[in-house]
């Protein structure tokens, strides 16, 4: 056995406390783990010895790992940690996850990183019973890392078609059809699409037909297909509809709007693949004196609370975000070896951001 380095201070252990208090190791352990079975006089003596020695108590990680369950869920994203607080979709999903955890007394560990090296470390070191994965940017890497942990995980939403991945999401294509049909029936014929990422390479800009077809994210691809299903049915040449790929953040949405409204034929209808994009678009249009819905109609996708109180209130395709979070959390907390793959319903909510052309 290696000797302690000269000058090093050995950490105080439970055995030291037991020796100082004049009790057995088992009794000292019960004082911290099962105090109700130890006489008060003995408890006080052990606590006094612990305080004198500077012993803070047993490491809870060891006890939890021995039990085989830590009663905590890891919620993971390749986005910066601020994503959980700044993104409207993430906030609502997190409320559902929190409700399910509150009901069982489980904890939540937020797992994110600005680069792959830190993300891998954070996933591998997280003390959790399983993961809920937000499949936005870097979704493929997240799935790979969580699989390596050999813990149960659920992806939100259907970012991949791999049926070995437990997922809870919505029918993106059907939801997008609702949005496009609403605008087409209002008489719009000049459309533009603000798209979520087609890949996880941080590329943004006008999306070529080849890039759209090679999308690794079926959610993005299916929403675009849903839009184009309806537009083609109304006699619109979908090849001429500009699609601008964003990173679902303010700078790239602004760049997309600069591009779309710099085209010779400006759109009268914007199909945004997220409410976050749509809300940014409303602000951008208002600042430039472009009337919504007088000059341009805007439809989002998600149904975040902010969409109901924007100016004007946003027409959007709603999905049951909080319920998705609750179901994902329960799937981890009550894991029975099954692989849930659920499709939740969507609904179009018509508000003040859309009108006849």
């Amino acid at each position: 056995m290696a000797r302690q380095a000269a000058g090093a201070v050995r950490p105080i252990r439970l055995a030291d406390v037991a020796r100082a208090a004049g009790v057995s190791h088992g009794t000292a352990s019960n004082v911290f783990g099962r105090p109700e079975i130890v006489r008060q006089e003995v408890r006080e003596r052990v606590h006094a010895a612990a305080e004198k020695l500077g012993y803070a108590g047993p490491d809870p990680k060891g006890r939890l790992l021995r039990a085989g369950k830590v009663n905590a869920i890891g919620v993971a994203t390749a986005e910066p940690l601020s994503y959980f607080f700044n993104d409207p979709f993430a906030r609502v999903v997190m409320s559902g996850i929190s409700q399910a955890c509150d009901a069982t007394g489980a904890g939540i560990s937020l797992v994110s990183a600005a680069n792959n090296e830190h993300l891998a470390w954070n996933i591998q070191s997280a003390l959790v019973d399983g993961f809920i994965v937000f499949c936005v940017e870097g979704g493929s890497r997240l799935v790979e890392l969580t699989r390596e942990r050999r813990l149960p995980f659920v992806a939100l939403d259907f970012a991949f078609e791999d049926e070995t991945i437990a997922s809870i999401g919505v029918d993106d294509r059907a939801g997008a059809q609702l949005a496009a049909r609403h605008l087409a029936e209002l008489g719009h014929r000049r459309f533009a699409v603000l798209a979520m990422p087609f890949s996880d390479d941080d590329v943004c800009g006008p999306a070529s037909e080849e890039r759209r077809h090679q999308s690794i994210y079926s959610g993005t691809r299916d929403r675009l297909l849903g839009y184009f299903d309806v537009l083609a049915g109304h006699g619109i040449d979908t090849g001429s509809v500009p699609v601008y790929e964003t990173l679902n953040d303010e700078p790239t949405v602004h760049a997309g709007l600069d591009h779309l409204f710099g085209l010779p034929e400006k759109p009268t209808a914007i199909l945004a693949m997220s409410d976050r994009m749509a809300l940014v678009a409303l602000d951008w249009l208002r600042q430039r004196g472009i009337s919504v819905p007088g000059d341009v109609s805007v439809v989002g996708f998600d149904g975040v609370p902010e969409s109901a109180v924007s100016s004007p209130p946003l027409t959007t395709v709603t999905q049951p975000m909080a319920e998705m979070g609750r179901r994902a959390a329960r799937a981890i907390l009550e894991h029975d070896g099954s692989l849930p793959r659920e499709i939740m319903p969507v609904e179009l909510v018509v508000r003040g951001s859309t009108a006849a052309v």
Side-chain angles (χ1 to χ4, degrees), residues 143-344:
V143 168
E144 175 189 335
L145 290 169
T146 49
R147 272 181 161 162
E148 288 175 3
R149 279 294 304 269
R150 299 185 181 276
L151 291 173
F153 71 91
V154 178
L156 295 175
D157 49 359
F158 286 114
F160 306 96
E161 293 177 336
D162 184 345
E163 299 218 348
T164 66
I165 297 175
S167 302
I168 298 176
V170 298
D171 188 334
D172 290 291
R173 191 164 185 166
Q177 288 170 347
L178 292 174
R181 184 174 299 112
H182 170 64
L183 291 171
E185 289 178 350
L186 288 172
H188 290 277
R189 294 297 179 267
R190 298 204 308 271
F191 287 83
V193 177
L194 288 170
M196 295 189 299
F198 290 99
S199 185
D200 55 7
D201 52 11
D202 287 343
V203 169
C204 60
S208 66
E209 187 173 352
E210 179 183 10
R211 183 167 176 83
R212 299 176 222 160
H213 284 310
Q214 293 177 348
S215 174
I216 68 168
Y217 292 124
S218 61
T220 304
R221 187 191 64 234
D222 287 350
R223 289 184 190 187
L224 186 61
L225 288 173
Y227 296 150
F228 283 5
D229 288 341
V230 171
L231 299 187
H234 281 76
I236 296 168
D237 175 15
T238 57
S240 67
V241 174
V243 177
Y244 194 95
E245 181 178 1
T246 77
L247 301 181
N248 197 27
D249 61 10
E250 187 172 289
T252 58
V253 172
H254 282 176
L257 292 164
D258 288 337
H259 171 79
L260 296 173
F261 283 87
L263 297 173
E265 190 173 72
K266 296 174 175 54
T268 67
I270 295 175
L271 291 159
M273 287 192 187
S274 79
D275 283 352
R276 187 179 188 183
M277 289 185 218
L279 293 169
V280 169
L282 292 182
D283 287 339
W284 186 94
L285 293 164
R286 182 171 54 253
Q287 290 168 10
R288 285 155 183 78
I290 301 173
S291 171
V292 178
D295 300 320
V296 183
S297 287
V298 180
V299 179
F301 199 118
D302 284 334
V304 301
E306 291 87 342
S307 66
V309 295
S310 60
S311 179
L314 180 67
T315 295
T316 186
V317 177
T318 66
Q319 52 181 323
M321 296 169 286
E323 180 60 21
M324 289 162 60
R326 283 189 290 270
R327 294 191 184 202
R330 287 198 293 264
I332 301 299
L333 295 170
E334 303 167 7
H335 182 61
D336 59 3
S338 62
L339 207 66
R341 285 183 67 84
E342 294 187 64
I343 299 178
M344 307 292 287

Side-chain angles (χ1 to χ4, degrees), residues 5-18:
V9 178
R10 182 175 68 79
I12 302 299
R13 299 171 181 164
L14 184 60
D16 300 320
V17 175

Side-chain angles (χ1 to χ4, degrees), residues 76-91:
T77 178
E79 297 274 350
L81 191 62
S82 59
Y83 169 75
F84 293 112
F85 307 97
N86 295 340
D87 185 87
F89 173 84
R91 287 202 302 266

Side-chain angles (χ1 to χ4, degrees), residues 12-14 16-18 20-21 28 31-32 42-58:
I12 302 299
R13 299 171 181 164
L14 184 60
D16 300 320
V17 175
V31 168
F32 290 99
V42 176
R43 292 201 306 267
E44 291 173 353
R45 193 161 76 243
V46 171
H47 282 303
E51 184 175 352
K52 183 177 180 180
L53 293 172
Y55 179 70

